[in-house]
Amino acid sequence: METRRDFIKKSALGAAGLAVGFSAKSYGRIIGANDRVRVGLVGFADRTRQSLLPAFWDHSQALNYEVVALSDIWNRRRDEGLAFVKQKTGQTIKLARNNDELYDMKEVDAVI
């Protein structure tokens, strides 16, 4: 029968082995506290235009994030979203036809 102390020792050894297994290359993919978080938006409508994005942009500098992509199943809304972000920020964002395309984008770190 294994004691709690034995279990903790084995767990600690296993965690140490995992930590050694990470290479310097894998550490390069980890987002650090000073890295900008790139956000994708699901859907673009009045609530996004009038509430979400203005609030988001008010805090984007302090919290170090930016909107980089938008998904909407309706192409009219995608185009409106692209034009709105371009007008407000001067940036061009990537567009996705559905959420799966948005989730697959390597440029996106977080989705709201």
Side-chain angles (χ1 to χ4, degrees):
M1 180 171 171
E2 186 173 51
T3 66
R4 182 172 42 179
R5 185 167 284 150
D6 292 334
F7 174 76
I8 291 172
K9 285 180 186 177
K10 287 180 182 177
S11 297
L13 287 173
L18 282 174
V20 170
F22 285 111
S23 67
K25 185 176 181 181
S26 67
Y27 280 115
R29 292 191 303 262
I30 297 173
I31 296 176
N34 295 325
D35 291 332
R36 183 171 294 270
V37 178
R38 301 164 304 181
V39 178
L41 299 174
V42 173
F44 185 81
D46 290 338
R47 204 174 290 165
T48 304
R49 179 190 342 255
Q50 296 169 0
S51 299
L52 179 65
L53 283 175
F56 211 69
W57 288 327
D58 284 348
H59 302 286
S60 65
Q61 291 289 23
L63 298 176
N64 203 22
Y65 56 77
E66 65 181 328
V67 175
V68 297
L70 166 75
S71 75
D72 200 302
I73 58 171
W74 195 13
N75 63 352
R76 176 179 167 205
R77 294 288 189 192
R78 284 193 308 269
D79 294 341
E80 288 174 358
L82 176 66
F84 184 78
V85 172
K86 178 82 170 169
Q87 174 196 5
K88 297 291 185 183
T89 66
Q91 296 176 320
T92 301
I93 59 174
K94 295 205 173 215
L95 300 177
R97 294 173 296 169
N98 57 51
N99 295 346
D100 289 335
E101 286 182 9
L102 180 67
Y103 301 150
D104 289 339
M105 290 182 179
K106 294 186 191 306
E107 300 88 1
V108 175
D109 300 317
V111 175
I112 60 168

